[in-house]
Amino acid sequence: MSKLAVIGASGMVGETIIKMIEKYNIEYDEIDLYASARSAGKKVTVNGEEITIKELTENAADEKYDYVIMAAGGKLASIYAPLFEAAGSIVVDNSSHFRMQEDIDLIIPEINTPTLNRKIIANPNCSTTQAVVALKPLYDDFGIDRVAYVTYQAVSGSGVAGIDDLKNGEKGLEPTNYPYPIYNNVLPHIDDFLDNGFTKEEQKMVDETKKILNDDEIKVTATCVRVPVENSHSVEMNVTLKNETTVDEIRASLRGHDHIVLMDDVKNLVYPTPLDASGKSEVFVGRIRKDETLVNTFHIWCVSDNLLKGAAQNSVQILKQLQEMNK
């Protein structure tokens, strides 16, 4: 008998996790949904069954779940994930809290497999996920020496509060989530600033890229920017490859992957945008061109739905991967 729990079920990512559980035909005999006291008592339909959301307390771990998916933020993850783990559950956590801990797996199912040194598995940062999905074929075929990211991240990455700031800004209201208006504006600031001038979001992309690809030798840098787009992140990647190649060979490397959609025909104005990716499970790639200022270096543009592949979808894919491993 398989028991499954979703923590943070009333939030944007949590609600999307429930949809992905249905889409990916996740097998379970029993499912429970948890959220804060404010959302407890609400009813949610999962696979045709009406489920009442429970208040998250430490007693939840006593229910002995086989799998727990958490979408409740780093503070709650730091408290509850170890409790569920100690009770025997395998926990898939969406927060950044565990990602860079040495004994924690950081997983994108198309790229790597859990070792389960710990029974907590971390879901990567949303922008890192889509970027590394696009980079992995190139890493395998040509090797990667360096990558410089510039992100254009949608407000849904900040949850309902980010979307509210965008919509309220259009009405002339002051922001309550961001330090400055996001409507008709661009903010080169995601998460807190570090002493080196980078933000935590930028450092996440640097560290997580190396960990997922299991290669500390790759040189990685990033600038992360919030843009007035409701959903789907875009990432510009300036990539220096180890083995000499061409644009056509890069396109060939990216073709043939079910999780990558190549949209790269600028003569006919074909390139991916957030509208192309929103609501879709794949990572969309285009604008591939040679950087004439650096040796064996290329510009690559990728777009993906940050609530899907960047968060809820990847978490549920990890769960599906675990279930298949345990068959």
Side-chain angles (χ1 to χ4, degrees):
M1 179 173 171
S2 176
K3 291 181 67 175
L4 171 63
V6 177
I7 313 299
S10 63
M12 287 187 68
V13 174
E15 290 176 349
T16 310
I17 284 171
I18 292 167
K19 294 176 183 176
M20 293 296 102
I21 286 171
E22 296 174 334
K23 176 180 176 179
Y24 282 90
N25 298 314
I26 296 299
E27 297 177 359
Y28 60 84
D29 297 298
E30 185 178 338
I31 185 170
D32 285 329
L33 309 178
Y34 291 91
S36 66
R38 185 175 64 255
S39 297
K42 293 181 180 178
K43 297 185 184 299
V44 177
T45 301
V46 187
N47 284 318
E49 179 184 6
E50 191 174 71
I51 307 292
T52 301
I53 294 178
K54 301 179 180 182
E55 181 183 356
L56 179 63
T57 68
E58 293 183 2
N59 294 332
D62 297 335
E63 294 295 325
K64 304 292 184 183
Y65 295 102
D66 296 285
Y67 303 100
V68 176
I69 301 182
M70 297 199 67
K75 185 176 181 180
L76 288 177
S78 70
I79 298 168
Y80 286 96
L83 292 176
F84 285 112
E85 179 190 30
S89 305
I90 299 178
V91 181
V92 180
D93 178 45
N94 270 274
S95 80
S96 63
H97 183 78
F98 295 99
R99 290 176 190 157
M100 293 312 300
Q101 294 186 21
E102 190 173 344
D103 56 350
I104 297 290
D105 294 318
L106 185 64
I107 297 298
I108 300 174
E110 294 90 344
I111 294 175
N112 54 358
T113 303
T115 64
L116 291 176
N117 291 321
R118 291 271 307 273
K119 286 191 172 183
I120 298 174
I121 298 171
N123 195 45
N125 172 272
C126 46
S127 292
T128 307
T129 298
Q130 71 184 71
V132 178
V133 164
L135 288 175
K136 183 59 164 61
L138 310 185
Y139 182 84
D140 290 342
D141 291 344
F142 312 110
I144 294 177
D145 179 62
R146 166 192 167 274
V147 57
Y149 296 123
V150 179
T151 72
Y152 304 77
Q153 295 180 226
V155 295
S156 59
S158 303
V160 173
I163 293 175
D164 285 347
D165 265 14
L166 178 62
K167 292 182 176 180
N168 290 335
E170 188 175 7
K171 302 172 186 176
L173 301 177
E174 290 297 312
T176 58
N177 181 68
Y178 300 121
Y180 301 102
I182 187 62
Y183 175 71
N184 207 26
N185 202 13
V186 168
L187 306 181
H189 170 196
I190 299 177
D191 211 327
D192 298 330
F193 282 100
L194 303 171
D195 290 341
N196 62 2
F198 284 77
T199 64
K200 286 184 178 179
E201 184 82 355
E202 291 158 351
Q203 195 63 49
K204 289 174 197 173
M205 293 197 72
V206 171
D207 296 336
E208 293 176 26
T209 296
K210 296 179 179 183
K211 183 170 181 176
I212 296 165
L213 292 175
N214 193 28
D215 189 343
D216 288 332
E217 300 302 314
I218 300 176
K219 296 182 281 291
V220 185
T221 189
T223 297
C224 294
V225 182
R226 189 72 70 189
V227 296
V229 170
E230 185 166 333
N231 195 53
S232 293
H233 292 346
S234 304
V235 182
E236 204 285 323
M237 303 184 289
N238 187 254
V239 186
T240 301
L241 302 172
K242 289 184 176 180
N243 298 318
E244 190 171 342
T245 189
T246 66
V247 168
D248 285 341
E249 288 173 337
I250 289 174
R251 290 189 185 115
S253 176
L254 292 167
R255 287 193 185 99
H257 302 278
D258 291 341
H259 52 281
I260 296 174
V261 175
L262 186 63
M263 297 179 63
D264 191 31
D265 181 6
V266 294
K267 290 181 179 178
N268 291 300
L269 302 184
V270 175
Y271 45 79
T273 72
L275 291 178
D276 295 306
S278 192
K280 308 286 180 53
S281 61
E282 301 91 350
V283 173
F284 293 73
V285 182
R287 290 294 325 270
I288 302 169
R289 60 205 189 276
K290 194 174 189 312
D291 186 331
E292 302 292 349
T293 69
L294 294 168
V295 175
N296 205 35
T297 300
F298 299 84
H299 291 280
I300 300 170
W301 174 259
C302 79
V303 186
S304 182
D305 188 314
N306 53 289
L307 294 178
L308 293 180
K309 188 56 187 169
Q313 175 187 319
N314 198 69
S315 297
V316 174
Q317 285 179 292
I318 293 170
L319 174 56
K320 187 82 170 178
Q321 183 183 39
L322 289 165
Q323 289 186 330
E324 291 173 353
M325 287 170 57
N326 291 330
K327 281 184 179 179

